[in-house]
């Protein structure tokens, strides 16, 4: 099963998406990077909701304790920032109003539907599938490294301090992924359960891919839907 | 409120979408029309689920009786076909295997997420919003007329008998829309409730628009996502 999961990563993970090539290769305009960031914010801000639902699916206290740290990783604590705050530092650095970002009013409906599908998935499917859907974190560190170096190299409007979200994920994601992988290996005991685990990962790769397809169509091909964020035309 | 609803229709309904221009104007290939049809099938086949959920939201028996006819309109009865069967006659007429269409395995993930968002909406929002989300039917008959005439005129692979789904909607949709409009006018009694009704219609226009954006990106711009239907290359 682990082989199948890694094959799904090699063929479906969104590091393969043309929008990411452009983002990391410096071929997007600042407006397109802004669009990416405000849409990503919706995904990021939904992760604690998704993880709280997963915590609610387990009667096993130790699993709840382990999974709960993820909520703190993103939400932070009274005295320390979390991933969401670091994401807002990115959007600050890109010159976008925090109120606008947090309102989510400019995001693509496709982003909303994809992210909400992820939240509904962990609510409606089995606890095993809910944990399995997080396994894209197995493939994230490499992508984050490419992103940090690529964006710093190519965009003069990207400074190192606004890339802190991704630097923190370099250490957090492997720990989270290791727990989730161990959990599914121990708890998927039948061929049907192993197929469900693989399908859950496949589903999650679709959640990520759909968001980039929608960004490409709206902001690269030039078809922003009614009501969505419109980048300022650069002089 | 009715004025606001009609303005939403004029500015957001998917008759305005470039993909529909191409579909009705004969500028799609047969493969692109096939892609549209198999993705639309997922939407059509989810409508009875959506309507059954709405029936379950009402303790008022008369509303349930009125709304229940929609399930029969789409599912049919033991001795009579419904809308879904007529949709399969369309995909039959386009030369696509019924098993493939009914499996939904080739549909775009964006289609799945948008349609599932609609089903979840009527489950999770108020009964008033659930009914309001059906109000796109106010605008459907004109679109269906354009579709019937446009596709018959421009595509030699479209015969009149496979367009029966749309002909039936010309009479069904106005009746359904009239009930829903009357319901929301009588039951949205505060400014907040009227805003929720308008937002529900806006949401539904996004459900429809996202599906066409995804079809355009995949099959007109040429970026079908991994695993999705690939039209046969025409000789």
């Amino acid at each position: 099963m682990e082989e199948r999961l890694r094959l799904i990563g090699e063929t479906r993970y969104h590091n393969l998406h043309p929008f990411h090539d452009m983002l990391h290769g410096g071929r997007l305009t600042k407006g397109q990077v802004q669009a990416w960031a405000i849409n990503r914010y919706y995904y990021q801000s939904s992760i604690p909701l998704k993880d709280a639902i997963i915590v609610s699916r387990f009667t096993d206290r130790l699993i709840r304790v382990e999974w709960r740290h993820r909520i703190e990783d993103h939400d932070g604590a009274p005295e320390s920032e979390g991933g969401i705050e670091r994401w807002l530092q990115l959007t600050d650095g890109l010159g976008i109003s925090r109120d606008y970002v947090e309102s989510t009013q400019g995001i693509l409906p496709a982003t909303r539907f994809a992210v909400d599908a992820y939240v509904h998935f962990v609510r409606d499917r089995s606890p095993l599938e809910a944990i399995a859907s997080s396994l894209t974190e197995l493939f994230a560190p490499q992508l984050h490294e490419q992103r940090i170096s690529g964006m710093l190299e190519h965009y003069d409007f990207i400074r190192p301090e606004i890339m802190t979200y991704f630097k923190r994920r370099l250490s957090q994601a492997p720990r989270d992924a290791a727990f989730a992988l161990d959990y599914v290996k121990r708890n998927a005991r039948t061929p049907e359960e192993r197929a469900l685990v693989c399908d859950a990962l496949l589903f999650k790769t679709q959640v990520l891919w759909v968001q980039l397809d929608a960004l490409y169509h709206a902001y690269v091909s030039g078809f922003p839907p009614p009501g969505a964020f419109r980048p300022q035309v650069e002089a």
Side-chain angles (χ1 to χ4, degrees), chain A:
Chain A
M1 180 179 71
E2 182 173 346
E3 254 184 58
R4 274 195 285 167
L5 294 172
R6 294 196 182 277
L7 181 65
I8 289 170
E10 279 163 38
T11 53
R12 304 290 201 115
Y13 189 58
H14 61 164
N15 62 320
L16 301 165
H17 197 284
F19 190 90
H20 268 151
D21 282 344
M22 298 181 74
L23 176 68
H24 303 156
R27 299 198 300 287
L28 293 182
T29 64
K30 184 174 179 180
Q32 289 165 333
V33 178
Q34 287 177 328
W36 167 77
I38 67 168
N39 277 269
R40 261 300 288 263
Y41 176 79
Y42 186 75
Y43 174 74
Q44 297 302 136
S45 64
S46 300
I47 296 297
L49 312 181
K50 184 271 296 181
D51 286 326
I53 293 173
I54 293 180
V55 168
S56 79
R57 303 301 307 280
F58 287 90
T59 51
D60 181 328
R61 187 184 66 85
L62 291 175
I63 294 177
R64 290 201 305 268
V65 168
E66 164 60 35
W67 204 267
R68 210 181 72 225
H69 86 262
R70 294 165 175 255
I71 306 176
E72 179 162 352
D73 284 349
H74 289 280
D75 275 345
E79 299 301 310
S80 62
E81 67 177 25
I84 292 176
E85 174 58 29
R86 290 192 293 278
W87 198 270
L88 288 170
Q89 287 161 17
L90 169 59
T91 56
D92 287 346
L94 291 172
I96 316 165
S97 135
R98 271 206 186 197
D99 282 349
Y100 183 75
V101 175
E102 289 179 290
S103 75
T104 75
Q105 67 187 25
I107 72 172
L108 298 171
T111 300
R112 195 179 300 276
F113 297 159
V115 172
D116 290 354
Y118 186 27
V119 177
H120 295 147
F121 184 94
V122 303
R123 171 182 65 182
D124 298 337
R125 299 297 181 104
S126 64
L128 174 65
E129 291 164 278
I131 287 193
S133 65
S134 72
L135 284 168
T136 42
E137 287 169 330
L138 287 169
F139 321 117
Q142 195 180 15
L143 177 67
H144 286 166
E145 277 180 10
Q146 288 171 1
R147 180 168 303 150
I148 293 166
S149 58
M151 291 180 73
L152 282 172
E153 182 186 339
H154 294 291
Y155 300 113
D156 54 18
F157 53 82
I158 295 282
R159 298 178 323 279
E161 54 271 24
I162 70 176
M163 299 299 281
T164 52
Y165 172 80
F166 305 104
K167 291 185 200 135
R168 286 292 288 268
R169 292 306 294 162
L170 292 177
S171 53
Q172 288 173 339
R175 170 204 168 174
D176 291 345
F179 176 83
L181 182 60
D182 179 66
Y183 181 91
V184 301
K185 284 164 83 169
R186 285 186 293 103
N187 289 278
R189 298 187 191 88
T190 68
E192 291 76 20
E193 285 174 335
R194 289 190 281 271
L196 285 177
V197 165
C198 293
D199 285 347
L201 176 58
L202 207 70
F203 160 79
K204 175 65 173 303
T205 64
Q206 293 174 338
V207 168
L208 299 174
W209 197 275
V210 161
Q211 294 179 65
L212 297 179
D213 272 351
L215 282 166
Y216 195 108
H217 180 67
Y219 297 108
V220 178
S221 304
F223 296 100
F229 170 74
R230 302 255 169 160
Q232 309 262 1
V233 176
E234 298 180 28

